[in-house]
């Protein structure tokens, strides 16, 4: 796990906001939130690990510009994905790091466990797409008004 965290730190670009300090801050903040809301206790060990892996990787190799900018500039990153460009790039790079020979973080997982873990991490990272932020806030408001305790039904696709 230490090698994984250090590899993430090495893979972060040195830009003003989307850097390793931001990643660390998000991971710490989310850690406090999931503990104080009781979410942490409802997750199994692999779900917890997926959640925190997503926090660490949510802005992996972020260039410091938006997906829209990358699309308009005709970047190779934008050309690889039709939408949610940066978040899909973060997911791709996260798993390249995790399964890399030097890290081998997911070695020994069954195929089913690997895909469960990958889907959980990808879902969390894709949910950070700021273009969808207003929609997510609307869903949370709706649930709060209903007083519901059911999970938020967000459709995320790679």
């Amino acid at each position: 796990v230490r090698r994984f965290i250090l590899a993430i730190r090495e893979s972060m670009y040195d830009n003003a906001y989307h850097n390793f300090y931001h990643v660390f801050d998000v991971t710490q903040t989310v850690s406090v939130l999931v503990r104080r809301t009781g979410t942490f206790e409802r997750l199994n060990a692999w779900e917890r690990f997926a959640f925190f892996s997503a926090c660490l990787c949510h802005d992996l190799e972020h260039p410091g510009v938006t997906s829209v900018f990358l699309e308009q500039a005709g970047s190779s990153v934008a050309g690889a994905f039709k939408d949610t460009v940066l978040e899909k790039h973060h997911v791709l790079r996260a798993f390249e790091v995790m399964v890399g020979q030097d890290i081998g973080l997911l070695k020994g997982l069954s195929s089913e466990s690997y895909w469960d873990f990958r889907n959980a991490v990808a879902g969390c990272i894709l949910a950070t797409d700021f273009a969808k932020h207003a929609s997510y806030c609307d869903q949370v408001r709706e649930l709060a008004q209903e007083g519901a305790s059911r999970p938020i039904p967000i459709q995320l696709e790679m």
Side-chain angles (χ1 to χ4, degrees), residues 72-129:
Q72 291 174 348
S75 80
S76 59
V77 172
F81 308 105
K82 71 176 185 177
D83 63 358
T84 316
V85 171
L86 283 172
E87 289 70 23
K88 288 180 179 177
H89 175 74
H90 304 321
V91 172
L92 173 72
R93 289 296 296 129
F95 280 89
E96 287 177 349
V97 170
M98 285 182 210
V99 301
Q101 287 183 342
D102 294 343
I103 307 299
L105 192 65
L106 306 177
K107 248 189 310 194
L109 285 183
S110 69
S111 179
E112 181 181 357
S113 294
Y114 170 83
W115 285 106
D116 287 346
F117 180 80
R118 184 180 177 99
N119 289 334
V121 171
C124 289
I125 293 174
L126 292 174
T128 68
D129 183 355

Side-chain angles (χ1 to χ4, degrees), residues 17-113:
Y17 182 75
H18 293 101
N19 53 48
F20 191 70
Y21 294 106
H22 165 69
V23 166
F24 186 84
D25 179 52
V26 167
T27 303
Q28 172 60 26
T29 300
V30 168
S31 175
V32 170
L33 290 172
V34 299
R35 288 177 187 277
R36 287 194 178 168
T37 61
T39 303
F40 192 79
E41 291 73 26
R42 292 189 300 239
L43 302 174
N44 68 39
W46 276 103
E47 290 169 331
R48 291 174 185 171
F49 187 56
F51 200 68
F52 289 113
S53 296
C55 289
L56 288 169
C57 297
H58 83 277
D59 274 336
L60 189 57
E61 292 186 354
H62 198 296
V65 297
T66 65
S67 291
V68 172
F69 178 89
L70 293 173
E71 291 165 11
Q72 291 174 348
S75 80
S76 59
V77 172
F81 308 105
K82 71 176 185 177
D83 63 358
T84 316
V85 171
L86 283 172
E87 289 70 23
K88 288 180 179 177
H89 175 74
H90 304 321
V91 172
L92 173 72
R93 289 296 296 129
F95 280 89
E96 287 177 349
V97 170
M98 285 182 210
V99 301
Q101 287 183 342
D102 294 343
I103 307 299
L105 192 65
L106 306 177
K107 248 189 310 194
L109 285 183
S110 69
S111 179
E112 181 181 357
S113 294

